[in-house]
Amino acid sequence: QLRLNTEGGQPIISKDLYLSAKFHFVGATQHNDSTIFETEIKGRGNSTWDMPKKPYRLKLKKKAELLGLPEVRSFALLANYADKSLLRTAVALCLAKQLDLEYTPSSHFVELYLNNEYQGVYQLTDKTYALEKHLEDNEVIGTANDPDPDDGFLLELDSRLDEELWFRSDYGIPYTVQIDSSPAQRNVIMAYINDIEKSIFDATSANRLASVASMVDLGTLIDFYIVNELTKNRDAFWSSTFVHRLRHGKLKYGPIWDFDLSSGNDGETIAGEPLGWWLGNMAHDHALRELIQEPEFATHLKQRWDYLLSRFPETRHFIASSAEVIEEPQKRNFETWDILDKNIWPYAVVTGSYAGEINHLSKWLDTRTAWISQQLREPRPWID
């Protein structure tokens, strides 16, 4: 249990205004029940903030390792209201960790009590905050007015363009800057991204792949693609798609984030169907769509798929064991949020039970992995 009380019992009604609060855990092996953490809390999320069960962001007074998660000050509390399995983001994190994608967030399930009122099962996670803190502390050397072109950065491909600093690349891809920056630093980053995209779209060059590989860690692109394609993540390359660079390094894809609309949890688009390619249809998935034409890149992608497939029994075990761990908490969650027999957005399925939701998730992933494996045996697998 995570028991949090705002100062004066104030309700959390804003994504912009932090409230002072204190919290402690009950029944955690990592923390004494009497250990009090001081924090600020506000709402978070986009569409999820408008749902009945609200997600939150914590900003601790001092950084801490909450439940064994990385030692940072900021954490997210995901409500997973639209995902009746409660597990889809956790499954995506599991897949990314199997592929060793750097800075993959960690998470831990908790039952949240807010001002002594039960809120349900939440997923506590460090999101991208560990990477953001590392970049701001160690990777940005240049000043705001005289930026160093080799400085690190974190960007989000985000069609909403709702951050203070953002840009569209020369090829129309929307990026927002995710760490403290300045217009001058933004312009340096934009020039760097434009150079990369120019190489990506240079289909006539015999050295296209080598040119892109000199600036981009293609292994992270492939692994990032596999996780999003396997799960048919509806938000991929539309929002919540992060790329980053450490100082003097290459552009890397990740960390992964935001998978509540994945793995069959979508009744509005073809993303909900286990058959068919997905990311090739995304307007902003330019890098994969172009580079998949390069035989060496395609071969590497197939090899990484085979590796992840060899570990898929672990993924199945993760789903089954996670569902078992939260079997009792989920009952309390769905007593509070009585939606198992209701057709709520994004209108995927109505199974009427938590076991039915887990069965739907598991069967969808089994069908999806079988279809992808079959396609990758074809001479031109990416042609539907």
Side-chain angles (χ1 to χ4, degrees), residues 24 106 139:
H24 67 282
S106 299
E139 300 291 330

Side-chain angles (χ1 to χ4, degrees), residues 119-134:
Q119 303 298 312
V121 174
Y122 276 70
Q123 189 175 356
L124 179 70
T125 172
D126 59 297
K127 195 188 174 224
T128 60
Y129 302 132
L131 175 57
E132 291 176 34
K133 182 64 175 171
H134 175 76

Side-chain angles (χ1 to χ4, degrees), residues 104-225:
T104 296
S106 299
S107 68
H108 202 299
F109 287 103
V110 299
E111 289 187 272
L112 176 64
Y113 289 78
L114 178 59
N115 293 327
N116 297 318
E117 291 188 8
Y118 182 74
Q119 303 298 312
V121 174
Y122 276 70
Q123 189 175 356
L124 179 70
T125 172
D126 59 297
K127 195 188 174 224
T128 60
Y129 302 132
L131 175 57
E132 291 176 34
K133 182 64 175 171
H134 175 76
L135 287 167
E136 290 174 351
D137 288 350
N138 305 289
E139 300 291 330
V140 181
I141 308 299
T143 64
N145 295 325
D146 187 21
D148 188 329
D150 288 324
D151 277 350
F153 58 78
L154 174 66
L155 304 177
E156 179 184 357
L157 278 74
D158 185 2
S159 298
R160 295 185 182 92
L161 293 176
D162 56 0
E163 294 289 340
E164 180 180 352
L165 290 176
W166 59 269
F167 63 90
R168 288 189 182 274
S169 69
D170 287 346
Y171 288 90
I173 312 303
Y175 294 91
T176 59
V177 183
Q178 293 295 303
I179 62 172
D180 289 342
S181 194
S182 70
Q185 289 168 320
R186 182 266 317 273
N187 292 341
V188 168
I189 296 170
M190 180 168 60
Y192 178 78
I193 293 296
N194 283 333
D195 285 344
I196 290 174
E197 291 189 356
K198 183 178 179 181
S199 292
I200 288 173
F201 281 97
D202 188 9
T204 61
S205 172
N207 299 313
R208 172 166 68 164
L209 193 62
S211 176
V212 177
S214 69
M215 296 178 281
V216 179
D217 185 326
L218 294 180
T220 63
L221 169 58
I222 287 171
D223 291 347
F224 186 89
Y225 164 73

Side-chain angles (χ1 to χ4, degrees), residues 5-17:
N5 292 288
T6 60
E7 188 173 18
Q10 300 174 78
I12 304 165
I13 58 174
S14 171
K15 293 197 301 178
D16 301 312
L17 178 65

